[in-house]
Amino acid sequence: MSPRIDPGKFRAPNGGFSLARRATSVAPLYKSKEHHAVQLETYKGQLSQLQEMLYAQHTHALLVIFQAMDAAGKDSTIDHVMSGVNPQGCQVFSFKRPSTEELDHDFLWRTNRCLPERGRIGVFNRSYYEEVLVVRVHPQFLAAQHLPAQCSGKHLWRDRYRSILDMEAHLQRSGTCVVKFYLHLSKNEQRERFIKRIDDSDRNWKFNAGDIAERAYWKNYMQAYEQCIEATSTKDSPWYIVPADDKRNMQLIVAATLVDTLESIDPRWPKLPNSGRAELAKLRAQLLGEKD
């Protein structure tokens, strides 16, 4: 296997940040399609073992958040990277347009109901960050939330960042580690992927005409992402800016980062006390003594 990928190269700084200076494409981290497959399988094997220990230890949880522009590859990345994880230890939730019930609660409510239990990995395909991204680009969506006047003034976005930071700090103090990925796709690459979805009949179902309309707001989205990441990337709950023009690179970077994050949690196989081991020895002897 090639030298291990350093996730720190893709981590957003805590403070001044420019998304425009972050590349959407970097030199390939693999030599061939086959080499990529070998590397990814190695990371998936490590991820699977770490997840099993996390599940067995049952003291921590991991929340993984994916945010990106349309066609950046959130679904495929989750599929490729998490496919080796035991399903009983991993939960994936995709958040679409909020329902009437969800709009009648605070903006964190619908996602907080889906937070991972101890011992599990929770994956959010989009998340509460939509409320400072899509809603910021389209502030008319706020009308459906029926916010009181004192909660919807000029400090709305600052206050929502504060709520997010407080919530993520609370999760960290409670044993849930939060890691956030922004899949950084170029506008040109998005166009090419949309064209492929139109040209390939097997991919037509993925195409949404509304996605084309959103391209007109590209600069607004980039500004919203930049301000969001700058305001909410912390030492304990970092953002990783993953170049997304090359999907294979993206998969390797995400996989390496998840392995690195789980290793920082340092899950261990539970060990029985001496009394428990003595009881197991008795039960073992009993089983050996049974007659067929």
Side-chain angles (χ1 to χ4, degrees):
M1 183 177 176
S2 300
R4 185 159 164 172
I5 296 167
D6 177 13
K9 294 180 179 179
F10 306 97
R11 184 169 177 156
N14 307 127
F17 171 70
S18 171
L19 190 57
R21 295 180 181 176
R22 291 287 181 136
T24 60
S25 180
V26 295
L29 300 168
Y30 55 93
K31 299 176 182 177
S32 63
K33 181 179 178 180
E34 292 73 23
H35 183 224
H36 165 266
V38 170
Q39 289 192 87
L40 186 59
E41 284 304 313
T42 299
Y43 281 124
K44 286 166 61 177
Q46 294 171 342
L47 186 60
S48 177
Q49 184 177 30
L50 287 163
Q51 182 269 327
E52 290 287 351
M53 289 191 285
L54 184 80
Y55 186 81
Q57 185 173 318
H58 201 71
T59 57
H60 290 76
L62 175 62
L63 174 61
V64 185
I65 292 174
F66 287 91
Q67 292 286 159
M69 297 295 286
D70 295 309
K74 297 184 301 299
D75 292 346
S76 63
T77 300
I78 293 169
D79 180 30
H80 281 83
V81 174
M82 306 304 297
S83 61
V85 174
N86 190 327
Q88 71 177 346
C90 182
Q91 306 154 324
V92 180
F93 296 94
S94 295
F95 296 98
K96 307 294 184 182
R97 184 184 296 273
S99 67
T100 301
E101 179 187 20
E102 290 167 344
L103 289 169
D104 279 340
H105 290 80
D106 69 272
F107 79 95
L108 293 171
W109 181 78
R110 71 167 178 159
T111 49
N112 281 355
R113 294 185 300 161
C114 303
L115 290 170
E117 304 164 24
R118 298 192 192 280
R120 287 180 164 82
I121 298 173
V123 180
F124 284 2
N125 184 344
R126 302 191 188 277
S127 67
Y128 45 86
Y129 279 102
E130 293 289 282
E131 293 295 327
V132 293
L133 295 168
V134 175
V135 178
R136 187 162 191 175
V137 173
H138 298 286
Q140 65 271 23
F141 293 165
L142 284 169
Q145 299 184 15
H146 303 289
L147 297 173
Q150 65 269 29
C151 299
S152 57
K154 64 179 181 179
H155 298 307
L156 172 64
W157 309 117
R158 180 202 67 183
D159 292 345
R160 287 196 168 185
Y161 292 149
R162 183 74 262 167
S163 295
I164 289 170
L165 288 168
D166 288 345
M167 189 269 290
E168 291 180 350
H170 166 72
L171 290 177
Q172 186 72 29
R173 290 191 295 269
S174 303
T176 297
C177 183
V178 184
V179 60
K180 301 167 291 196
F181 294 105
Y182 169 60
L183 308 183
H184 192 22
L185 183 73
S186 69
K187 192 175 183 180
N188 286 339
E189 179 62 23
Q190 186 195 60
R191 180 188 62 208
E192 294 303 313
R193 293 181 187 180
F194 282 163
I195 291 172
K196 287 181 180 178
R197 289 181 179 182
I198 293 172
D199 291 345
D200 186 346
S201 59
D202 291 337
R203 296 186 183 184
N204 286 168
W205 66 273
K206 286 187 174 184
F207 183 74
N208 185 334
D211 295 342
I212 301 298
E214 288 300 284
R215 282 174 61 80
Y217 299 94
W218 189 273
K219 289 184 179 179
N220 305 73
Y221 274 109
M222 293 302 102
Q223 183 179 26
Y225 269 109
E226 182 174 294
Q227 293 176 347
C228 168
I229 293 169
E230 182 176 14
T232 61
S233 190
T234 67
K235 177 179 178 295
D236 291 329
S237 301
W239 277 100
Y240 289 88
I241 315 303
V242 183
D245 285 0
D246 182 333
K247 287 188 177 183
R248 291 194 178 100
N249 263 356
M250 180 168 60
Q251 293 162 12
L252 293 175
I253 293 167
V254 168
T257 304
L258 290 178
V259 168
D260 187 73
T261 303
L262 280 170
E263 286 180 342
S264 72
I265 295 174
D266 194 25
R268 307 288 182 92
W269 295 114
K271 291 186 178 180
L272 289 175
N274 291 334
S275 58
R277 290 198 294 271
E279 179 64 21
L280 285 180
K282 290 181 182 179
L283 293 173
R284 182 177 186 277
Q286 178 182 327
L287 289 169
L288 289 173
E290 285 184 359
K291 294 182 179 179
D292 293 335

